[in-house]
């Protein structure tokens, strides 16, 4: 039996008729910023209010956790979840649910939190002759073997975004061209609004030489086997997605870390004053819990290291994010047409 490429195998394993994401909710298998703290939803609400939008779309909504918290905080917003999975039973009635992003969206904030990393990618490996070859996989076991070189479009993407000219045999890369196309399609569907992609990421100057292909099941990292039993994921070349969004018509672009973005949006990990413990012990404990949650969201070695790609269509960047300056925190990239 022919062995598929990783992209083909992952597509079937995650999104086939009985695929992982047809049956499972992401929150049951790995921890996200949404589940770490309601402070994340508060930050999303802050972006929505800063942009004065009437609609928030959660692209790759999973179990609808972000939408539920936003509905609790801002019931006046129109909220729409986009996901291939069925509508969660516990989702409040006013929240919409669909399996695809609509066209012609106006006054909208589109949030894609850990969506791009679950779009399948092809993996290439440098063989003993120095040639990049597609990696094929046996879906039942995860065993691998090398095949032919990728096609010209993928080779062109690699040359621009993940060059392998000087890579040693065994070095790997993940081809992000399909993710670029998916993000560009989302940008084109917005007539006026803001899109935010939040994900594990890397940039051209720090691509990991061994790649990032990984799998999760029930909260644990497991060997990646595309048999439908686990989530298969890989980090996102957000700089490449940003360029694709620019070409699709984005007006302004910001690329930064979650740590910087959330701090700009008011997420504060400062300890509450000790005097509060004497005046109101319950308020002190509540504030301390919020600090703990903020520390997790801002952790530069954890969720705080996630990338935030913010792109606008026919409007400027939100002021609160546009004010971000360059820093040592992997920097900030801003572009405006």
């Amino acid at each position: 039996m022919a062995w598929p490429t990783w992209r083909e195998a992952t597509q079937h394993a995650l999104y086939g008729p009985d695929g992982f994401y047809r049956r499972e909710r992401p929150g049951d298998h790995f921890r996200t910023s949404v589940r770490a703290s309601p402070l994340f939803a508060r930050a999303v609400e802050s972006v929505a209010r800063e942009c004065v939008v009437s609609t928030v779309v959660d692209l790759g909504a999973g179990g609808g956790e972000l939408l539920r918290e936003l509905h609790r905080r801002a019931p006046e917003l129109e909220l729409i979840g986009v996901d291939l999975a069925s509508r969660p039973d516990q989702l409040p009635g006013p929240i919409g649910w669909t399996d695809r992003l609509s066209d012609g969206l106006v006054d909208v904030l589109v949030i894609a939190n850990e969506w791009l990393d679950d779009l399948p990618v092809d993996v290439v490996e440098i063989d003993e002759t120095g040639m990049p070859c597609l990696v094929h996989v046996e879906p039942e076991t995860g065993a691998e073997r090398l095949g032919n070189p990728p096609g010209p479009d993928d080779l062109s993407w690699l040359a621009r975004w993940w060059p392998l000219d000087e890579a040693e045999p065994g070095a790997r890369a993940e081809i992000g061209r399909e993710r670029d196309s998916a993000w560009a399609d989302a940008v084109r569907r917005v007539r006026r609004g803001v899109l935010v992609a939040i994900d594990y990421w890397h940039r051209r100057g720090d691509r990991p030489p061994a790649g990032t292909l990984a799998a999760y099941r029930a909260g644990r990292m497991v060997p990646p086997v595309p048999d439908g039993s686990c989530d298969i994921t890989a980090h996102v070349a957000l700089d490449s997605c940003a360029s694709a969004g620019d070409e699709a018509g984005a007006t302004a672009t910001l690329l930064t870390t979650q740590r910087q973005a959330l701090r700009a949006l008011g997420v504060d990990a400062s300890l509450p004053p000790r005097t509060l413990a004497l005046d109101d012990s319950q308020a002190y404990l509540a504030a301390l819990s919020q600090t703990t949650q903020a520390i997790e969201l801002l952790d530069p070695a954890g969720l705080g290291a996630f990338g935030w790609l913010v792109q606008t269509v026919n409007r400027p960047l939100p002021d609160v994010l546009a004010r971000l300056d360059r820093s040592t925190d992997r920097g900030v990239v801003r572009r405006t047409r």
Side-chain angles (χ1 to χ4, degrees), residues 31-311:
R31 188 166 176 81
T32 65
S33 297
V34 176
R35 294 178 68 87
S37 171
L39 292 173
F40 182 83
R42 190 178 77 179
V44 172
E45 182 197 2
S46 296
V47 177
R49 296 200 183 283
E50 178 84 13
C51 299
V52 197
V53 300
S54 57
T55 303
V56 176
V57 176
D58 188 2
L59 186 54
E65 295 91 350
L66 175 60
L67 295 169
R68 290 201 304 273
E69 182 62 20
L70 286 174
H71 178 69
R72 186 186 70 81
R73 298 184 61 88
E76 73 280 5
L77 286 173
E78 179 185 11
L79 302 173
I80 301 171
V82 179
D83 205 286
L84 291 176
S86 59
R87 178 189 177 93
D89 294 335
Q90 66 273 35
L91 207 63
I95 298 175
W97 194 266
T98 181
D99 62 357
R100 66 189 63 193
L101 192 63
S102 299
D103 288 319
L105 296 167
V106 176
D107 296 332
V108 65
L109 170 63
V110 177
I111 297 289
N113 184 44
E114 297 193 52
W115 173 64
L116 285 168
D117 73 291
D118 282 321
L119 299 186
V121 291
D122 271 322
V123 178
V124 296
E125 183 175 316
I126 301 297
D127 69 8
E128 292 300 323
T129 71
M131 178 75 70
C133 299
L134 286 168
V135 180
H136 292 252
V137 60
E138 186 179 45
E140 294 78 13
T141 65
E144 296 178 338
R145 65 188 183 195
L146 299 187
N148 295 322
D153 289 343
D154 287 338
L155 286 173
S156 177
W157 187 92
L158 287 168
R160 181 179 180 186
W161 294 109
W162 200 323
L164 297 168
D165 308 52
E166 301 179 5
E168 297 291 330
R172 288 192 167 206
E174 292 127 12
I175 302 171
R177 190 168 62 86
E178 298 289 337
R179 291 171 170 177
D180 292 353
S181 296
W183 182 250
D185 179 69
V187 171
R188 291 189 191 99
R189 290 174 185 271
V190 174
R191 188 177 303 165
R192 184 176 65 251
V194 180
L195 302 94
V196 183
I198 304 165
D199 235 312
Y200 300 96
W201 71 311
H202 43 63
R203 295 195 292 198
R204 194 179 189 277
D206 61 2
R207 306 286 189 222
T212 62
L213 194 70
Y216 295 87
R217 183 193 302 122
R220 294 173 180 254
M221 182 176 282
V222 296
V225 179
D227 60 356
S229 69
C230 57
D231 174 42
I232 306 289
T233 181
H235 294 196
V236 182
L238 279 181
D239 50 350
S240 175
C241 293
S243 179
D246 289 341
E247 293 170 9
T251 305
T253 295
L254 169 73
L255 185 56
T256 186
T257 63
Q258 174 153 294
R259 178 179 174 85
Q260 283 198 356
L262 291 186
R263 289 168 88 179
L265 292 166
V267 177
D268 183 6
S270 301
L271 289 170
R274 292 191 176 185
T275 54
L276 182 62
L278 300 175
D279 298 336
D280 188 337
S281 60
Q282 289 193 345
Y284 177 79
L285 290 174
L288 197 59
S289 173
Q290 194 166 94
T291 294
T292 302
Q293 295 169 25
I295 288 171
E296 182 177 5
L297 288 175
L298 300 175
D299 181 5
L303 294 175
F306 273 42
W308 274 48
L309 169 59
V310 184
Q311 294 194 297

